[in-house]
Amino acid sequence: MNSTYYGRLIFELSKEGRRGCSLPDTGVKGDYAPLPDNLLRTKTPALPRVDEPTLVRHYHNMSANNFGVDSGFYPLGSCTMKYNPKINEEVAALEGFTAVHPLQPDYASQGSLEAYYTLCRALAEIGGMSEFTLNPFAGAHGELTGLMVIRAYHQSRGDDKRRVVIVPDSAHGTNPASAAVAGLKVVEVKSRPDGTLDVEALRPLLNDEVAAVMMTNPNTLGIFETDIPEIAKAVHEAGALMYYDGANLNPLLGVARPGDMGFDVMHINLHKTFSTPHGGGGPGSGPVGVRKGLEQFLPNPRVVRNADGTFSLTDTDTALGSVSATLGNFAVQLKALAYILTLGASGLMEAGSLATLNANYIKESLKDKYLLPIEGVCKHEFVFDGLADKSTGVTTLNIAKRLLDYGYHAPTIYFPLLFHESLMIEPTETESKETLDQFIDTMCTIADEAASDPDMVKAAPHTTPVRRPDDTQAALTPKVTYSDLIADADA
């Protein structure tokens, strides 16, 4: 368990009579409303009896087992964990922002409203869109919001039968999920051998029931979709809209804009492209942008700039409704704004270019040891199909677990589903050549170990607090409480 303290679990250190705190008598007297009997404990909770230093060390050692970009290289494809400059955290923690109540009147929250408005304009410029909302709480929430905008658009035209969304077979799993939640039917279109969407396979699917085509560019394989203008023309001629999944926007920063390619609606993962860290379910942010003519469908409330230069919140009757409490994850938005303003246009362009350079450097350095199913220049990420030598029986899962022994977080594995042993690597732009070289050497070492001692690799990890749990049972019967641990130990 991660709750080990010098090799022992905290409940094993428990001694009756020990305590980590001493609370004085409150001195509160008089009548008070008693709790209902069904809310009262019938026995004292079975918590560890430990002193304060033991408790502090327990939580400190647990935190040391966590991994993040401040700990080491994080090659986690599909969900970028970029380095988050500490100045971003300081900006988001300013009292002028943190002390603002969501229901404070507009005149008393001008700074916050201006920050929101400024970020919207910056994202519109970066994405080539007319307007943005920052209200969605995460990327998948942004997808859902964007699809709701598309539905509202078709319904406003009396085109209610458009209930089909076309997605490539390389799409992120959230794409079909978001479409289903939005009440839309998903139809899959195949990719060509080079990993790009097959335009000729798409054409027969376009009819008067299609609401949108969802695409990621570069796609999940890290390959740039060069046929977007042709695809967009065909989709628009069929009366449907183009949706851009912004999960992979990072390498395009300052180089290409989805709006210029022909996309009508897009979302951006602030917690990927603009360095605001995420994980464990949040906090994220999934702003949604639309091209001119779709602004009125964006969710309420919206921040507008008045003629006198002040800012205010406004609701419109044409909006699809509200998708979050007030203005979304505001602190995340502040971090993204600080990142954009710090780097500026030239810095953002350099970030995307360096992410592409780093990914191609790793790919070319490892393609003799690992199977590269699609040759050519990638963008910010690429996918191997496991080891080049399949005779050892060492799988992508084994490689990922062996990486833990070398102090690396494992990359995304078994996604995308196009390859049986997918291993997706995404280094981001902030990693130095020395860091990349060390990671490359480690991956080569693991490939050599797989050939010389495959059983050792299959048994990895060997040095982590938790080794090879039964993943299925861990999901079905998790041990999440102290009493669970006691019962497990007694058994």
Side-chain angles (χ1 to χ4, degrees), residues 374-449:
I374 299 177
E375 291 280 357
V377 176
C378 67
K379 295 305 175 189
H380 65 306
E381 66 186 4
F382 62 92
V383 180
F384 284 130
D385 190 4
L387 286 165
D389 180 6
K390 305 290 186 186
S391 65
T392 64
V394 173
T395 66
T396 286
L397 177 62
N398 300 144
I399 296 166
K401 288 186 177 292
R402 183 59 175 151
L403 272 171
L404 304 181
D405 286 330
Y406 287 95
Y408 292 101
H409 192 288
T412 295
I413 62 175
Y414 299 118
F415 177 81
L417 304 178
L418 295 177
F419 311 119
H420 185 63
E421 292 291 329
S422 288
L423 179 70
M424 177 187 285
I425 296 175
E426 180 179 5
T428 77
E429 64 277 356
T430 51
E431 301 300 339
S432 67
K433 183 176 181 297
E434 290 75 16
T435 297
L436 300 182
D437 285 338
Q438 187 176 27
F439 176 73
I440 290 166
D441 289 343
T442 299
M443 290 291 286
C444 289
T445 298
I446 294 174
D448 293 340
E449 291 173 343

Side-chain angles (χ1 to χ4, degrees), residues 55 64 88 122 124 154 168 176 197-198 203 257 266 306 419 447 468 478:
L55 183 66
N88 299 355
H154 289 306
L197 187 145
D198 190 334
R203 292 187 191 278
R257 308 193 306 175
M266 68 178 292
N306 303 312
F419 311 119
R468 294 184 73 90

